[in-house]
Amino acid sequence: MLRANFLFKFLKYKQNNGHDIVQYNSNENFELQDQINIEIIDIDKKISENSKALVEAQIVKFKSTFSRSNNFIEQIGKNVYKTKLEDSINWHQKKLKYLYLRRRELEINLEKLKGIYWINKIKRILNLILIGFFILSTLFIFLSGFMIIIYLLPLIILIFLVYLVSTKRY
């Protein structure tokens, strides 16, 4: 069965004639780039609107948390109001996360269309490596300074005691 299928494909194989004239339309590429740019701008507007709404909801939650009321009915209303506020805040956070992910996908598609995806990817990786190196070197300097102070503590105490004894007048 396998040999028959191979022979059939071999005998029916047509050689591809790559000498045909192909018309290339570069306007399609630019139109797609423009369309992606417009979508990114729309998503940026939605992100700013959602961010403002999220900040407003968090301000209202903050105010309602610190408002004082001794009335039982107001306490019940406050609890219902608080759950609705938390639901609203969670919805806005999920929406923002989705919008940021969608924007990132569109930026990656645009970079691929422009042919700069791998250059930007390498820049991001090098940036992460540089930040990691900076954090590790800062931690190393801080910890080594701390260890030097611990090892020099007896010497510092000795110098301090000698100073106290030498300045003390009998």
Side-chain angles (χ1 to χ4, degrees):
M1 181 73 184
L2 186 61
R3 287 184 193 176
N5 193 13
F6 175 74
L7 287 173
F8 178 75
K9 285 183 180 180
F10 183 74
L11 294 174
K12 291 289 186 178
Y13 177 73
K14 278 189 172 181
Q15 189 174 2
N16 187 8
N17 291 331
H19 306 293
D20 296 339
I21 296 175
V22 177
Q23 188 175 17
Y24 177 70
N25 189 2
S26 64
N27 290 334
E28 293 176 6
N29 195 10
F30 289 122
E31 289 174 3
L32 188 59
Q33 287 180 6
D34 291 339
Q35 181 183 4
I36 291 175
N37 279 331
I38 290 170
E39 286 182 37
I40 288 174
I41 292 170
D42 289 341
I43 288 176
D44 284 340
K45 288 178 184 176
K46 289 178 185 177
I47 286 174
S48 67
E49 291 171 3
N50 261 342
S51 296
K52 288 177 186 176
L54 180 63
V55 168
E56 289 173 3
Q58 288 176 339
I59 288 172
V60 170
K61 182 181 177 186
F62 184 74
K63 286 181 180 178
S64 69
T65 301
F66 291 108
S67 67
R68 296 181 183 215
S69 64
N70 295 330
N71 193 349
F72 179 70
I73 295 172
E74 287 181 11
Q75 288 288 345
I76 293 172
K78 190 176 178 182
N79 290 338
V80 170
Y81 189 67
K82 210 177 236 185
T83 57
K84 295 293 183 186
L85 266 175
E86 288 176 4
D87 291 342
S88 173
I89 289 172
N90 288 336
W91 181 83
H92 283 294
Q93 287 174 343
K94 287 178 184 176
K95 183 75 172 173
L96 274 176
K97 186 177 180 181
Y98 168 75
L99 287 173
Y100 276 117
L101 289 175
R102 179 70 180 138
R103 183 177 188 273
R104 185 69 197 130
E105 289 173 3
L106 289 173
E107 285 177 346
I108 288 173
N109 288 338
L110 186 63
E111 288 173 357
K112 286 180 180 178
L113 282 175
K114 290 181 178 179
I116 57 173
Y117 173 74
W118 286 108
I119 295 170
N120 289 342
K121 186 85 166 172
I122 291 170
K123 285 180 185 177
R124 283 186 215 107
I125 290 172
L126 289 176
N127 199 5
L128 284 174
I129 290 171
L130 185 67
I131 289 171
F133 177 74
F134 180 73
I135 289 172
L136 288 176
S137 62
T138 304
L139 284 173
F140 177 74
I141 290 171
F142 177 74
L143 290 176
S144 63
F146 186 69
M147 294 301 289
I148 289 171
I149 289 174
I150 288 175
Y151 281 119
L152 291 177
L153 197 58
L155 183 63
I156 294 171
I157 292 173
L158 182 66
I159 292 172
F160 184 68
L161 288 176
V162 168
Y163 173 75
L164 285 178
V165 169
S166 67
T167 58
K168 190 173 185 180
R169 296 188 182 171
Y170 295 103

